[in-house]
Amino acid sequence: MYRLLTHNDLDGLGCGILARLAFGEEVHVQYNSVAGLNPQVEMFLAKEDKEETLFITDLSVNEQNEKKLNDYVQHGGEVYLIDHHKSSLHLNEYSWAAVEVEQANGNLTCATSLFYKFLIEKGLLHAKKSLEQFVELVRQMDTWEWEKNGNLTAKRLNDLFFL
């Protein structure tokens, strides 16, 4: 079983869609505000269920949960934190965190693009042109590149999700 705790914006929704495609009914997706994440992490850790893999995307944990998650992993739990915010870069010191702000080509990242890459690399999802297009629209919206590129499709996708 899998649990995804992610942000309640388009980038977080993109991660939720990818999780459903990768894991189907085996994933519980929960969308959180920035303030809502840490209580959810605390509830997850209180269960002490090492059978459930935890994914955290597009959000970062506080220092207290950072230490608790590391302890959880050291005692056999499986956690992956995937983020793109500069404020989370310090988490890269942990084996369970992957924070990348910018790609090698200079493009800014988003959680959806990083999660997609992770799922493909782990063989949990197969690359598809339609998914790549979706991920790129989310990335452009989340990084505001849609404005620079005049990509109204990315803006429309965001508008669609928040009608």
Side-chain angles (χ1 to χ4, degrees):
M1 191 66 169
Y2 303 91
R3 179 171 299 270
L4 172 65
L5 302 177
T6 192
H7 200 193
N8 59 357
D9 66 355
L10 179 62
D11 195 15
L13 290 168
C15 292
I17 290 168
L18 293 175
R20 283 275 184 231
L21 291 171
F23 306 118
E25 295 299 316
E26 295 294 311
V27 66
H28 176 78
V29 179
Q30 192 161 359
Y31 300 100
N32 297 277
S33 65
V34 173
L37 175 67
N38 284 299
Q40 294 302 320
V41 170
E42 290 167 12
M43 284 191 288
F44 175 85
L45 293 171
K47 293 187 316 182
E48 297 184 15
D49 179 5
K50 302 280 193 306
E51 299 301 313
E52 191 172 33
T53 300
L54 176 64
F55 289 96
I56 301 169
T57 60
D58 201 30
L59 291 168
S60 185
V61 294
N62 62 24
E63 189 175 339
Q64 180 183 8
N65 279 332
E66 175 184 330
K67 290 175 182 12
K68 287 179 181 179
L69 285 170
N70 196 52
D71 186 56
Y72 177 78
V73 169
Q74 288 179 344
H75 289 90
E78 194 170 3
V79 173
Y80 298 95
L81 185 142
I82 299 171
D83 196 16
H84 65 108
H85 297 100
K86 287 180 185 178
S87 59
S88 301
L89 281 169
H90 69 282
L91 295 172
N92 279 331
E93 70 184 66
Y94 299 105
S95 62
W96 45 267
V99 181
E100 183 182 337
V101 176
E102 188 175 310
Q103 299 170 350
N105 65 6
N107 285 343
L108 295 175
T109 61
C110 72
T112 299
S113 64
L114 295 172
F115 193 44
Y116 181 68
K117 179 181 166 187
F118 172 89
L119 293 169
I120 297 293
E121 288 174 355
K122 296 290 186 185
L124 300 167
L125 194 63
H126 298 292
K128 291 183 181 174
K129 187 169 179 69
S130 58
L131 279 178
E132 290 171 10
Q133 291 171 338
F134 169 73
V135 168
E136 179 60 14
L137 289 174
V138 173
R139 190 195 69 76
Q140 284 194 34
M141 184 63 204
D142 200 60
T143 62
W144 291 87
E145 283 184 29
W146 73 271
E147 279 188 328
K148 180 177 77 173
N149 299 336
N151 189 345
L152 292 179
T153 304
K155 170 140 179 22
R156 288 184 189 116
L157 178 63
N158 187 64
D159 293 346
L160 175 68
F161 276 105
F162 294 101
L163 285 176

